[in-house]
Amino acid sequence: MYTKKCAAAHWGPIAGQYSSWKSHTNRLIPVYTFGTKGGGDGIDLSNYTGENSLYGDRSQLQRLYRSNIEDSLDPAAPYMDQTNIFDLQLAALNAGRKHIFIVVFDGMDWQTTRAASIWNLQQVVYDEGRGLGTHFQEYQACGTTQFGWMVTSAFRDGIQVDVNKQRVKNPGGGLPGGYSAKIAGYYPWSTPTLPKYLVAQANDDDDRGVRHAYTDSASSATSMFCGVKTYNGAIGIDADGRPAISIAHLAQADGYLVGAVTSVPICHATPASTYSHNVSRNDYQDLSRDLLGLPSVSHPDKPLQGLDVLIGCGYGVTEKHDSSQGENFVPGNKYLTQQDLHESSISNGGRYLVSQRTDGTAGGEALKNAAKNAAESGVRLIGYYGLFGHSDSCNGNLPYATGDGHFDPAPGIDGKTIEYTEAELNENPTLAEMTTAAITVLSAKDSPFWLMVEPGDVDKANHSNNLDASIGAVNSGDTAVRVITDWVEQHSDWQESLLIVTADHGHYLTLDQPELLLRPNKNTSQDSSP
């Protein structure tokens, strides 16, 4: 942090400088699927990769980006697009798959996963491909698992909106999206020929000045859940501001129960995009209203049905003013108003059993009991937890785990140390416990169901260039993946269940000397100093 140099790794396009970028990139993102190989039309990944990649089809690209697509058109493209994640889920739904799971590691690219693998195995065992070292990399799902990668670029960046009128003010403005494999590479582990291209900056030695917008979580999640390319900041709407039908809406209409679980605020971009409609990802209270089936700025007269299970964070975070949420912002909890929570509770005639962080109460046990009661009673479940009173990077989230499995992360690029009290650790469940609770409710009556789980702290750690917290976040999410695969093995099989594990975008970690991530006694290089 002080020398701004690190022999093991660097973040950003400037080699030799520890941190030159703290945001997202246009890297290709890995896709791990379970229950797909040989699964039939639209389910097997081969439907979207290689010769079936839409990046080799001019008309398909034009439909997605509606702009100059010449730099993105590539008949040799081996990759899929983020919108194909929606296509895959829809095919599974139409084929009658009874249980559809998707786990979205926010901000986890191939390099982040490799860092976690190296630390977990205490070996450097791969430099390309799927790899080893986490459950989702190694689990075979009775021979039905597949591995691919996708483009996550947004439709456009730089769109202006009116939250109060729910209107897109400049639908044709901003920087268009796309992906040039000739510059960025054909694989998630490729090294770009022009490093600044990944962050939408012109390179000094690039005469053409090729630039493509990289995505934010809102645009990417909307693409994965609704099948449309849209602008950065959009939640469940297309590039013109029209509400889109999500896979959760379609599943619910087909008799499925639907749920979302996250380690960050319940209405952040990824969980919100599963179900809500809004021109702005920052209109948190209205996004929560859509998720819970309450009247919102987007649906004032005819609310959506609401999710059957919503478990996440945001508890205790308050604001007196928030202009980004529009004229109907209610002072108090930033993400879910007390009135909306009160109205949703079965104690007040609502449809949800509410479990929330409580002083002196073990969060994991409380959520487990609430899920059991909701399942037995046949009601919906809200789980509302998280941290408050910390810096903005912690508020509203679960505690950040570290590479060693503890909760004492090294400082991030801001140099600030994160410390948690025993109460904060005890009163919050883990992401794995949240996932278990959601499945308990959704599977109670042997109904078909759809569930999204988001390990959102990977993104938080990568924004902070915090490798310790990043590795811990990958492992926390991996534990939640194991909850799902264990449940399928015990209660279902990979013919009636399907799981997608992926991320919404990447960051800019580069491992220069990966062997330096090993503990010193495992490090065989000459420079083994910590």
Side-chain angles (χ1 to χ4, degrees):
M1 297 303 165
Y2 298 108
T3 65
K4 303 190 184 303
K5 293 184 181 297
C6 175
H10 72 276
W11 303 76
I14 303 177
Q17 181 175 320
Y18 179 68
S19 176
S20 61
W21 190 256
K22 295 188 289 184
S23 192
H24 307 167
T25 68
N26 207 6
R27 276 176 165 168
L28 294 170
I29 293 300
V31 179
Y32 312 82
T33 60
F34 308 85
T36 60
K37 187 176 182 179
D41 189 34
I43 294 178
D44 194 291
L45 275 191
S46 62
N47 289 275
Y48 309 109
T49 59
E51 63 181 13
N52 293 321
S53 172
L54 57 79
Y55 282 83
D57 187 322
R58 182 181 298 274
S59 62
Q60 289 272 48
L61 277 185
Q62 195 66 50
R63 174 182 62 84
L64 283 186
Y65 291 108
R66 289 187 279 169
S67 61
N68 183 358
I69 48 88
E70 295 305 317
D71 289 309
S72 300
L73 185 65
D74 196 328
Y79 38 80
M80 56 198 292
D81 186 69
Q82 59 193 166
T83 55
N84 294 140
I85 299 298
F86 169 83
D87 299 331
L88 173 54
Q89 294 173 88
L90 181 60
L93 182 64
N94 291 337
R97 291 294 181 103
K98 190 174 180 181
H99 314 117
I100 301 172
F101 302 90
I102 178 167
V103 179
V104 180
F105 282 79
D106 196 322
M108 185 184 73
D109 47 26
W110 183 88
Q111 291 76 6
T112 298
T113 306
R114 186 180 183 221
S117 165
I118 293 168
W119 176 256
N120 293 342
L121 297 175
Q122 286 299 297
Q123 296 182 72
V124 181
V125 298
Y126 68 95
D127 56 16
E128 62 181 30
R130 178 170 181 155
L132 303 167
T134 64
H135 179 64
F136 62 80
Q137 288 173 294
E138 298 182 2
Y139 182 68
Q140 295 300 302
C142 300
T144 66
T145 186
Q146 292 178 289
F147 174 65
W149 45 95
M150 66 181 181
V151 174
T152 64
S153 183
F155 171 73
R156 283 186 179 272
D157 184 32
I159 297 298
Q160 300 172 2
V161 301
D162 185 322
V163 175
N164 295 312
K165 296 180 180 179
Q166 285 295 296
R167 183 173 65 88
V168 176
K169 297 195 288 188
N170 62 330
L175 179 67
Y179 184 81
S180 173
K182 293 180 177 62
I183 300 175
Y186 287 91
Y187 307 100
W189 49 90
S190 296
T191 299
T193 58
L194 301 171
K196 291 183 180 180
Y197 168 77
L198 290 180
V199 295
Q201 295 179 4
N203 290 266
D204 297 337
D205 49 355
D206 178 14
D207 294 335
R208 296 182 302 156
V210 178
R211 296 176 63 218
H212 287 132
Y214 57 85
T215 193
D216 76 338
S217 295
S219 169
S220 185
T222 297
S223 291
M224 290 191 287
F225 299 136
C226 302
V228 297
K229 285 284 188 186
T230 191
Y231 62 89
N232 285 337
I235 297 289
I237 62 174
D238 66 16
D240 298 311
R242 293 185 294 259
I245 298 174
S246 76
I247 189 66
H249 297 144
L250 294 171
Q252 192 172 55
D254 209 22
Y256 285 59
L257 299 181
V258 293
V261 171
T262 180
S263 63
V264 297
I266 57 172
C267 50
H268 261 206
T270 304
S273 295
T274 66
Y275 204 82
S276 302
H277 297 129
N278 204 291
V279 297
S280 173
R281 62 178 292 174
N282 297 322
D283 193 7
Y284 298 121
Q285 293 176 352
D286 275 310
L287 294 173
S288 291
R289 292 178 184 120
D290 280 351
L291 292 169
L292 298 175
L294 299 172
S296 69
V297 68
S298 298
H299 300 281
D301 302 317
K302 189 177 180 181
L304 298 172
Q305 292 184 54
L307 294 171
D308 295 285
V309 172
L310 179 61
I311 305 174
C313 300
Y315 175 85
V317 180
T318 60
E319 295 284 353
K320 293 181 179 180
H321 308 282
D322 191 345
S323 59
S324 64
Q325 297 205 45
E327 296 171 352
N328 67 341
F329 171 73
V330 178
N333 189 280
K334 181 176 181 177
Y335 304 108
L336 174 61
T337 72
Q338 186 62 38
Q339 179 181 343
D340 290 339
L341 184 62
H342 179 87
E343 185 178 335
S344 299
S345 173
I346 56 173
S347 300
N348 304 300
R351 296 175 291 173
Y352 293 86
L353 190 155
V354 177
S355 176
Q356 58 184 323
R357 182 179 167 183
T358 304
D359 290 347
T361 300
E365 192 66 22
L367 183 60
K368 177 182 177 180
N369 292 334
K372 180 181 178 181
N373 292 336
E376 292 174 350
S377 303
V379 298
R380 294 176 166 187
L381 176 66
I382 296 173
Y384 202 37
Y385 291 87
L387 301 169
F388 58 93
H390 286 263
S391 66
D392 288 342
S393 64
C394 282
N395 275 342
N397 309 313
L398 290 183
Y400 299 152
T402 49
D404 58 9
H406 298 152
F407 293 89
D408 52 353
I413 197 63
D414 60 4
K416 296 179 181 178
T417 300
I418 301 173
E419 296 180 347
Y420 306 118
T421 66
E422 285 298 319
E424 288 174 327
L425 297 177
N426 179 60
E427 291 166 8
N428 285 297
T430 64
L431 184 65
E433 290 171 331
M434 289 176 164
T435 303
T436 299
I439 295 176
T440 296
V441 177
L442 295 174
S443 66
K445 306 299 181 183
D446 198 33
S447 297
F449 64 85
W450 175 92
L451 174 64
M452 189 285 300
V453 176
E454 181 200 21
D457 44 350
V458 183
D459 188 54
K460 300 289 185 181
N462 284 342
H463 275 297
S464 187
N465 293 177
N466 191 326
L467 198 53
D468 186 22
S470 179
I471 291 171
V474 171
N475 289 335
S476 294
D478 194 40
T479 304
V481 173
R482 189 183 290 272
V483 166
I484 294 171
T485 60
D486 285 352
W487 184 88
V488 171
E489 289 192 352
Q490 295 168 19
H491 301 280
S492 179
D493 56 49
W494 292 108
Q495 282 68 54
E496 69 172 10
S497 295
L498 183 142
L499 166 64
I500 302 167
V501 176
T502 189
D504 51 355
H505 57 76
H507 281 259
Y508 214 142
L509 170 66
T510 299
L511 298 180
D512 300 303
Q513 296 186 54
E515 68 276 7
L516 295 183
L517 295 185
L518 307 181
R519 295 183 181 92
N521 63 342
K522 295 286 187 178
N523 192 329
T524 58
S525 72
Q526 292 182 345
D527 180 10
S528 60
S529 58

